[in-house]
Amino acid sequence: MCGSELTSLPDGVQRVARVLQAHGHPHTPVMLDDAARTAQQAADALGIAVGQIAKSIIFRRKADDAAVLVITSGDRRVDEKKVDALVGKTGRADADFVKARTGYSIGGVSPVGHVQPPVTLIDRELFRFQEIWAAAGHPHGVFKLRPQDLERLTGAPVADVVQEPAA
């Protein structure tokens, strides 16, 4: 993207695109025809496995009201006890908290470009895949990356933060 293409994108997607550009990321955000507010919707729109969707889940750390971002594989559920053991006691974050801390609405929270940097953890289950997709700051926006790119872009540690999959 040279810049003129950015101005036609929603503000959140523009912010994500600038972060990706600044880090030399080879893939720019794309806008889907339909909303991808859930991992399943995104996977269906992209024709990929739901596990390849990097879900961005925001929690609210109780000790200091910090946003805690857990980036997890779309086919996994976050284990809040595992997250709490790593970052301190957390609770649910409502839509207003998510928007204020990240600058994004629920359903479009990107792993990068937050207005206030969150405490971030990356689910190790994402590394099952060569290619993953993440929200790009809007319910219709997504971008392609590798799990290793996610580490590089966020500087976050990789951890076991999900419930064991059902047999």
Side-chain angles (χ1 to χ4, degrees):
M1 288 192 168
C2 66
S4 62
E5 299 95 340
L6 284 179
T7 58
S8 65
L9 296 172
D11 290 343
V13 180
Q14 289 182 42
R15 192 164 65 245
V16 171
R18 285 191 298 270
V19 170
L20 297 176
Q21 259 183 339
H23 283 87
H25 188 70
H27 304 289
T28 57
V30 296
M31 298 298 288
L32 302 173
D33 290 335
D34 294 318
R37 292 182 190 277
T38 68
Q40 189 63 62
Q41 288 172 332
D44 291 347
L46 294 164
I48 60 173
V50 72
Q52 289 178 267
I53 300 299
K55 296 189 295 190
S56 292
I57 310 294
I58 299 288
F59 294 94
R60 185 180 210 151
R61 186 161 58 188
K62 294 186 176 183
D64 58 2
D65 216 31
V68 175
L69 168 63
V70 179
I71 308 164
T72 185
S73 185
D75 62 350
R76 299 292 192 255
R77 291 186 54 85
V78 173
D79 185 326
E80 291 178 50
K81 289 179 180 156
K82 290 180 179 179
V83 172
D84 290 356
L86 295 168
V87 302
K89 186 74 175 145
T90 61
R92 293 281 177 201
D94 65 19
D96 291 337
F97 178 87
V98 171
K99 182 72 171 180
R101 294 302 200 287
T102 69
Y104 306 121
S105 297
I106 292 173
V109 176
S110 175
V112 299
H114 294 235
V115 294
Q116 294 180 28
V119 174
T120 304
L121 299 170
I122 299 170
D123 170 17
R124 69 181 183 187
E125 292 292 316
L126 284 165
F127 287 79
R128 295 175 291 154
F129 303 100
Q130 293 282 16
E131 177 184 286
I132 58 176
W133 288 77
H138 186 276
H140 289 256
V142 294
F143 68 97
K144 182 167 62 170
L145 69 167
R146 298 171 305 137
Q148 297 82 357
D149 297 328
L150 195 55
E151 277 185 287
R152 183 177 55 82
L153 291 166
T154 65
V158 176
D160 175 9
V161 293
V162 296
Q163 297 172 3
E164 292 301 317

